[in-house]
Amino acid sequence: MQRFGVTRPGLPENALKVYSRPPEGALQARHVSAEACESLGALWDHRTESWVLVVRDPAGELLGWQIKGTRDRSFRNFPTGVKKRRSLFGFDWSADSDFVVVVESPLDAVYLATHHVPAVATYGASISLERSRLLSSQWSLVISAFDNDAAGRKATKTLINSPAKINLCVMPYTDDSKDPGEMPIRTLLHNIKTAPSAFVMDL
C-alpha cells in the first residue's frame, strides 16, 4: 500500500479472528458501547482479559494492534516495533466529519464515539509530523484533548508548533480528571464544545 511516499506491507485481516467482541462487563467498566467498539476497531482477548486496539495506516491497511491489559494495566504492541507514527485510531470512522477530537488512548476515542463525537487516538502522547499533517489535511478543526499531565501538555504544544498549521482548539480540564475517559460525559461534552483556540491560551 502506497501512502505519503512510503510502502508498508500490511497484515492479513484474518489475523484478528482470534479476538472477539468485548464482553458486557468490559464495556460497562469503560462506559463504552459495543457499536462504538465495532466501528473503531476495539476487540477483546478473552484468554488474557485484555483490550485489543487495531493499528491501521490512513488507507486502512492493518499494521498490527496494541494490547491493553485489564489485570495489570500493561501495554504491548504486536508485532513488536509496529510503527504507529502514521496511524490514528478511529481515522476511518471520523474521516467524514468537519472536526475531530484527538486523544491519547484508543479507549478514550471509543468513549467519545459512544456519544457520537468524532475522535481519533494517537496510542500515547507521541505526535509525529505525519500525524500532524494528517490531522491538518483531513479536518478543518482539531480539538486537542490529551491527558491532563506533562506529557499531554507537551503533545498539545507539539501540535501548536507543527509546520502542518493545524486549526487547533484545546479542551480545558475543569475537574480532577486525568484523561477524557475519567471525565463525566456531560462535563466532557461541554468542555469540548467550549474549547478555546490554542492560540489564545497560555500553555
Side-chain angles (χ1 to χ4, degrees):
M1 184 65 67
Q2 185 78 22
R3 186 79 174 189
F4 299 121
V6 178
T7 301
R8 291 195 179 279
L11 296 175
E13 290 292 328
N14 62 13
L16 295 172
K17 286 187 175 180
V18 296
Y19 304 119
S20 60
R21 294 180 178 180
E24 188 61 31
L27 298 174
Q28 291 179 359
R30 297 295 308 206
H31 306 289
V32 297
S33 69
E35 292 78 12
C37 288
E38 183 174 359
S39 295
L40 274 71
L43 300 168
W44 185 257
D45 184 343
H46 281 276
R47 183 178 58 85
T48 60
E49 296 183 2
S50 301
W51 288 94
V52 178
L53 307 155
V54 297
V55 179
R56 297 184 183 275
D57 73 5
E61 195 82 14
L62 179 65
L63 302 180
W65 49 87
Q66 185 179 81
I67 300 172
K68 177 180 174 61
T70 58
R71 297 173 181 171
D72 56 5
R73 301 182 67 83
S74 63
F75 287 89
R76 291 185 292 116
N77 293 321
F78 180 88
T80 302
V82 59
K83 303 299 184 184
K84 301 189 292 294
R85 65 177 181 269
R86 295 166 53 251
S87 300
L88 289 171
F89 179 85
F91 176 81
D92 285 348
W93 185 78
S94 302
D96 293 334
S97 302
D98 292 330
F99 78 97
V100 73
V101 180
V102 57
V103 298
E104 293 182 32
S105 168
L107 288 176
D108 288 351
V110 176
Y111 181 46
L112 285 164
T114 296
H115 299 278
H116 312 292
V117 177
V120 294
T122 55
Y123 304 93
S126 176
I127 297 297
S128 64
L129 180 57
E130 292 97 329
R131 283 174 172 161
S132 296
R133 286 173 172 166
L134 185 57
L135 289 167
S136 176
S137 63
Q138 191 67 39
W139 293 284
S140 58
L141 174 64
V142 176
I143 301 173
S144 173
F146 288 99
D147 290 1
N148 188 22
D149 57 20
R153 288 185 285 274
K154 181 179 179 181
T156 294
K157 288 183 179 179
T158 299
L159 289 181
I160 292 172
N161 296 320
S162 172
K165 305 299 182 184
I166 300 168
N167 181 20
L168 188 70
C169 289
V170 179
M171 186 201 76
Y173 280 85
T174 55
D175 60 13
D176 295 329
S177 299
K178 297 181 179 64
D179 57 55
E182 287 189 357
M183 197 175 293
I185 191 59
R186 293 182 68 176
T187 302
L188 179 58
L189 295 179
H190 173 78
N191 290 0
I192 288 171
K193 290 177 181 178
T194 59
S197 170
F199 305 101
V200 299
M201 298 183 69
D202 182 17
L203 296 175

